[in-house]
Amino acid sequence: MRYSGLIEKYRDRLPVTDSTPIISLAEGNTPLIELVNLPKILGHEVKIFAKFEGLNPTGSFKDRGMTMAVTKAVEAGSKAIICASTGNTSAAAAAYAARANIGCFVLIPEGKIALGKLAQAMMHGSTVIQIQGNFDDGMRLVQELANDMPVALVNSVNPYRLQGQKTIAFEVIEALGDAPDYHVLPVGNAGNISAHWMGYSESVRKETEACGLCNGQCPYHPKEPRASKRPIMVGNQAAGSAPFLRGEMVKSPETIATAIRIGHPMSWNLAWAAVRESGGWFNECTDDEILAAQMLLAKHEGVFCEPSSATGFAGLIKDLTAGRIKAGSTIVCTLTGHGLKDPDTAIAQSSQPHLVAADRGAIGELISRFL
Ligand SMILES: *Cc1c(COP(=O)(O)O)cnc(C)c1O
């Protein structure tokens, strides 16, 4: 049967009915790629799987949440949506709004937005509003605007976003036959780590158990547990933008990983709950560590993710080196977005093309230097 998106696939575990008008781009169903070279190169006896969310329709995991948020907005009669974004949320919102034939307004920070993401928001016909402020300013403003204007807010404070995003855990459990020992990922606004935890929790919770994430109202608990356990959750932040490490909000976050350049995470409590309940922790990684991790994945595994996405893997390298994650473990690392989103950062850190004459001899000589 043709795969037609995560709402169709998981409708028994999502808040939709038979009459809900589903807005989908066949998101989800992303590959779980086993890293075959890096565990050996880095010298660790573990199994690492990359859940490559860059292969969603707009190139990031944001599509999982956006299919739900836009579906519910359309169901409720909304004619327009609005969001603040570091880039990927606006790309997803713009695409799903186009699909639904509704308006879309996106607030993005001036500068500091990856080129590919900006191109997407513009191509899909959203109204792009560049503000003289950062993501946190934008977040505050869209909440105010959505309060008194006829626009539906589709940031991850919208509960349907996390509902859609939790399906990543369902897919991992299906692919591995159980939950992994560890699940590591980057953390910005912290919706995604919260959604991962919700998905894992719903996969093991018995119907009779209370659900801390949905006030006991949640009808999506499995009749039979699908996983025997939940993974230890490890959230990774960029050092210049690490409120979870500081234990308080960060006023002027700075990092090359623009998708997680967020000082006031909206899902603060849920993310702490995920980490504490799972026995996990938060790491911080420098920009250099993040870029090195991005390069390792690209060069040795053929997987090109954006800098923010590589932050989870950068933190994993630290934990493996420190012995915090034991040999023999199975680890899933969410790679949140595609490397093509941010070509400038990629090109700036790569070796540049060789310029030679259009001549057989000259090219042959160059090649033989690398053989
Ligand atoms: C949005 C995003 C993140 C951060 O996810 P949160 O839910 O805000 O923590 C990380 N990486 C990429 C590529 C993103 O687009």
Side-chain angles (χ1 to χ4, degrees):
M1 213 178 80
R2 189 173 66 90
Y3 178 81
S4 52
L6 58 85
I7 298 181
E8 279 301 345
K9 173 142 191 207
Y10 297 110
R11 53 163 57 246
D12 60 327
R13 289 184 258 177
L14 291 168
V16 290
T17 67
D18 288 346
S19 58
T20 305
I22 292 170
I23 310 297
S24 171
L25 288 162
E27 58 295 306
N29 198 25
T30 55
L32 190 67
I33 305 168
E34 179 162 10
L35 303 191
V36 288
N37 297 315
L38 283 173
K40 277 187 220 118
I41 290 170
L42 298 170
H44 301 291
E45 284 196 19
V46 287
K47 272 190 175 302
I48 307 174
F49 295 89
K51 182 67 170 159
F52 193 20
E53 290 291 285
L55 295 183
N56 274 296
T58 77
S60 87
F61 76 84
K62 298 297 196 301
D63 294 342
R64 289 183 189 272
M66 207 52 76
T67 183
M68 271 305 308
V70 173
T71 289
K72 294 305 279 188
V74 169
E75 185 176 44
S78 298
K79 294 282 180 284
I81 58 174
I82 191 168
C83 65
S85 178
T86 60
N88 281 333
T89 299
S90 60
Y96 284 83
R99 186 88 176 166
N101 286 310
I102 59 174
C104 179
F105 301 92
V106 304
L107 267 69
I108 55 173
E110 191 183 27
K112 309 274 167 101
I113 177 165
L115 209 59
K117 304 175 188 182
L118 185 59
Q120 288 177 292
M122 292 165 69
M123 273 304 279
H124 291 303
S126 68
T127 303
V128 181
I129 304 166
Q130 208 151 27
I131 60 163
Q132 292 165 330
N134 62 21
F135 172 82
D136 299 307
D137 298 318
M139 191 65 233
R140 178 175 45 78
L141 289 163
V142 293
Q143 284 177 300
E144 286 174 24
L145 289 160
N147 250 337
D148 49 28
M149 297 190 76
V151 287
L153 183 60
V154 294
N155 280 104
S156 58
V157 288
N158 176 328
Y160 298 119
R161 280 277 307 277
L162 300 203
Q163 286 291 325
Q165 286 171 213
K166 74 184 180 184
T167 58
I168 191 170
F170 301 163
E171 291 179 13
V172 169
I173 290 168
E174 264 170 45
L176 295 179
D178 203 342
D181 300 316
Y182 295 86
H183 197 126
V184 309
L185 74 165
V187 172
N189 215 16
N192 209 23
I193 191 170
S194 308
H196 277 65
W197 188 239
M198 191 188 296
Y200 280 121
S201 297
E202 289 182 11
S203 302
V204 292
R205 196 180 300 111
K206 307 269 178 7
E207 272 187 312
T208 48
E209 285 175 28
C211 173
L213 292 167
C214 59
N215 307 322
Q217 306 294 308
C218 171
Y220 323 114
H221 300 162
K223 291 190 178 60
E224 297 299 329
R226 295 171 168 92
S228 68
K229 59 175 181 193
R230 298 183 289 182
I232 291 171
M233 301 297 303
V234 183
N236 297 281
Q237 299 220 277
S241 176
F244 287 100
L245 279 297
R246 306 288 166 263
E248 60 182 19
M249 302 303 172
V250 169
K251 204 157 182 210
S252 303
E254 273 311 333
T255 170
I256 195 155
T258 49
I260 53 172
R261 186 169 161 263
I262 295 173
H264 286 63
M266 286 290 132
S267 297
W268 178 260
N269 292 333
L270 287 178
W272 273 117
V275 162
R276 288 205 176 114
E277 286 172 28
S278 73
W281 57 87
F282 289 104
N283 288 316
E284 59 183 307
C285 306
T286 64
D287 282 2
D288 284 348
E289 289 167 337
I290 292 168
L291 292 177
Q294 183 194 20
M295 185 78 92
L296 281 172
L297 287 164
K299 267 199 174 153
H300 298 290
E301 298 288 356
V303 176
F304 185 23
C305 67
E306 64 172 287
S308 305
S309 308
T311 308
F313 190 64
L316 174 59
I317 294 174
K318 295 177 103 153
D319 285 331
L320 288 168
T321 308
R324 209 168 183 187
I325 290 180
K326 299 279 171 296
S329 300
T330 297
I331 304 145
V332 172
C333 177
T334 303
L335 300 181
T336 46
H338 204 289
L340 290 172
K341 293 272 194 177
D342 190 354
D344 297 316
T345 305
I347 288 171
Q349 66 163 329
S350 302
S351 49
Q352 302 306 303
H354 303 270
L355 185 63
V356 293
D359 171 74
R360 163 76 180 74
I363 299 168
E365 200 244 319
L366 177 75
I367 290 173
S368 52
R369 271 198 267 145
F370 288 89
L371 288 174

